[in-house]
Amino acid sequence: MVSAILFASFALLLIFNVPIAVALGIAGIIGMHFADVSLSQIPVMAFTASSKFSLLAIPFFVLGGNIMEKAGISEKLITFAKACVGHTRNGVAVVLVVVACFFAAISGSGPATVAALGIILIPAMVEAGYSLTYATALMSAAGAIGVIIPPSVTFVVYGCVSGASIGKLFMAGIIPGIMMGIALVLCTIICSRNNPNLKPLPKASGAERWKAFKDAFWGLMMPVIILGGIYGGIFTPTEAAAVSAVYGLFVGIFIYHRIRLQEMKDLIVNSASQTGVVMYVIIAATMFAYVITVDNLAITASDAMMAITGGNIYIFLLIVNIILLIAGCVMDAVSALYILVPILYPIAQRMGYDVTAFGIVMCVNLAIGLVTPPVGVNLFTGASISKITIKDMIGDVLPIIGSLLIVLLIVTYIPQVSMFLPNITGMK
């Protein structure tokens, strides 16, 4: 009964266009009231939810991404990618996807990747002969790789909720992230095969490529330092986030000379604002999830799911994907993880599915949600850059979503794909 009131109040608030994070918090308070939980628990819950050591990675990764964006690393990565593959038929599209993969390893955020790269690459794709709607749709989808290629704020949140190793999640996300990039490139090749307007860039000389590589070197080294440090046992993922911020500041000030110390105040304030939004969502979602736990919904759902599927892991995973794809259409990844992990993870564990592999399945689903109407955050970001509406992009974004769904099915039903790197490196 309490869970029914909880979800009904949440749905009602969404109907009245209340922001998702606020709706979660209000619904959580309503649920706590009907569950006879003292509202004096709210401050304790807020402190407990936001004071986890692992969550310290979020503000540092946000700050590091903002610093590297301000340092102009995105422009240097684009120049290097153009010099390498820009002369091929779909070279500019390949540049977009490749740079998105690299920048994802810096920013760790889908919308941030779209915002940083879209303003440069969307006009470049239009100039190369692609339609504005397709260029925007592809940029929005490529930005979704930002929550899969490590470091990823989404993996940090999943690790905090489920207890999974964040370092292992980072390692497991590499191959699925690369597969998503390859899927986008193949989709573009197929969709543009009859486009007579494509204009490849002039082929760069060896000297031009070398110069572009030298300019982009420090940016290319950032994911190497972060991931190498984590997997080499030098620092934890949380400490790696702090290293990323310090490294980005060093590169921005002393190497690229694009950041002045006077600008640090604005960078810190902006990063704190972004972090505050994430932490508020975490606190509100924690209250919501607490009511679910008190009402024993997870146990009820587990028993019901076992009865429906007959213990068949394949049917269970299909249902999970459907639930997550729908959830990704209407809420952000952090909220979805805090609400759904306590319900779905125990069932997956009961069926013998690996906690890390299940995290990849959930995060790939929610990454696709970033480009799935009606509430695809990346679509809104891309549309605002191109001055078009999401409705204009529907025809172009559907085949792109289809290609990502193929990757999702592979990752879901062949968990060895995600677990290959953690297994061969012996990560625990």
Side-chain angles (χ1 to χ4, degrees):
M1 179 63 179
V2 173
S3 294
I5 295 173
L6 179 74
F7 283 98
S9 57
F10 178 59
L12 186 62
L13 289 166
L14 291 182
I15 291 172
F16 284 100
N17 291 322
V18 176
I20 290 173
V22 177
L24 282 171
I26 295 174
I29 292 173
I30 293 172
M32 289 172 68
H33 171 73
F34 281 96
D36 292 326
V37 177
S38 173
L39 297 185
S40 64
Q41 290 294 314
I42 293 177
V44 177
M45 224 175 290
F47 176 78
T48 303
S50 58
S51 61
K52 294 177 182 176
F53 178 73
S54 298
L55 291 179
L56 280 175
I58 294 177
F60 284 118
F61 277 136
V62 170
L63 178 60
N66 286 338
I67 288 173
M68 294 302 283
E69 181 183 345
K70 182 69 176 177
I73 185 61
S74 58
E75 300 170 18
K76 298 183 186 300
L77 289 174
I78 290 169
T79 301
F80 177 54
K82 282 182 177 178
C84 291
V85 297
H87 59 281
T88 60
R89 173 175 165 78
N90 288 282
V92 178
V94 176
V95 167
L96 184 151
V97 174
V98 170
V99 174
C101 287
F102 272 102
F103 197 80
I106 295 173
S107 72
S109 165
T113 301
V114 177
L117 303 179
I119 196 168
I120 302 172
L121 286 172
I122 291 175
M125 282 197 67
V126 172
E127 186 179 345
Y130 297 91
S131 67
L132 177 61
T133 53
Y134 187 83
T136 307
L138 184 64
M139 184 70 257
S140 301
I145 301 173
V147 302
I148 303 300
I149 294 280
S152 165
V153 170
T154 309
F155 287 158
V156 173
V157 172
Y158 176 83
C160 288
V161 178
S162 68
S165 164
I166 295 174
K168 195 172 181 179
L169 285 164
F170 281 2
M171 179 72 82
I174 294 175
I175 291 179
I178 293 173
M179 288 173 62
M180 291 174 72
I182 293 172
L184 293 180
V185 171
L186 292 177
C187 179
T188 300
I189 292 173
I190 294 170
C191 290
S192 63
R193 64 189 183 281
N194 296 322
N195 186 347
N197 300 318
L198 296 187
K199 295 174 289 186
L201 298 173
K203 187 172 184 178
S205 65
E208 289 173 327
R209 291 180 181 177
W210 176 245
K211 181 180 184 302
F213 171 75
K214 288 192 296 181
D215 288 341
F217 174 78
W218 294 98
L220 295 172
M221 282 300 294
M222 188 172 186
V224 174
I225 291 173
I226 294 173
L227 300 179
I230 293 173
Y231 304 137
I234 301 173
F235 37 68
T236 67
T238 303
E239 292 164 344
V243 170
S244 75
V246 174
Y247 177 79
L249 191 60
F250 172 79
V251 171
I253 294 176
F254 298 107
I255 305 298
Y256 293 150
H257 308 291
R258 293 284 294 270
I259 296 178
R260 295 175 297 175
L261 288 178
Q262 305 92 293
E263 297 173 319
M264 280 305 300
K265 177 183 176 182
D266 291 336
L267 279 171
I268 292 173
V269 169
N270 185 38
S271 299
S273 175
Q274 294 176 36
T275 302
V277 172
V278 175
M279 297 309 293
Y280 177 80
V281 171
I282 288 173
I283 291 169
T286 298
M287 292 165 53
F288 194 97
Y290 177 76
V291 177
I292 291 174
T293 303
V294 168
D295 198 40
N296 291 321
L297 180 61
I299 297 173
T300 304
S302 177
D303 292 339
M305 190 72 78
M306 291 296 289
I308 292 171
T309 63
N312 188 310
I313 186 68
Y314 299 104
I315 298 175
F316 164 70
L317 291 172
L318 177 61
I319 295 174
V320 166
N321 282 333
I322 293 171
I323 292 172
L324 290 170
L325 288 172
I326 294 173
C329 292
V330 297
M331 67 176 67
D332 62 279
V334 174
S335 302
L337 288 172
Y338 266 88
I339 293 170
L340 295 174
V341 169
I343 297 174
L344 298 175
Y345 165 64
I347 309 173
Q349 191 177 39
R350 192 171 167 184
M351 292 189 173
Y353 203 86
D354 185 86
V355 59
T356 303
F358 193 68
I360 302 300
V361 171
M362 293 196 74
C363 291
V364 170
N365 266 292
L366 297 171
I368 295 174
L370 292 173
V371 289
T372 305
V375 195
V377 179
N378 282 18
L379 290 182
F380 278 104
T381 306
S384 66
I385 294 172
S386 300
K387 303 295 187 292
I388 58 177
T389 66
I390 291 180
K391 184 179 178 181
D392 297 329
M393 289 189 283
I394 293 296
D396 290 307
V397 81
L398 288 179
I400 290 174
I401 292 174
S403 67
L404 295 178
L405 288 176
I406 293 173
V407 175
L408 172 61
L409 290 174
I410 294 172
V411 170
T412 300
Y413 289 106
I414 312 177
Q416 293 83 358
V417 171
S418 302
M419 300 305 298
F420 177 74
L421 291 179
N423 287 342
I424 65 170
T425 55
M427 293 196 70
K428 301 296 184 183

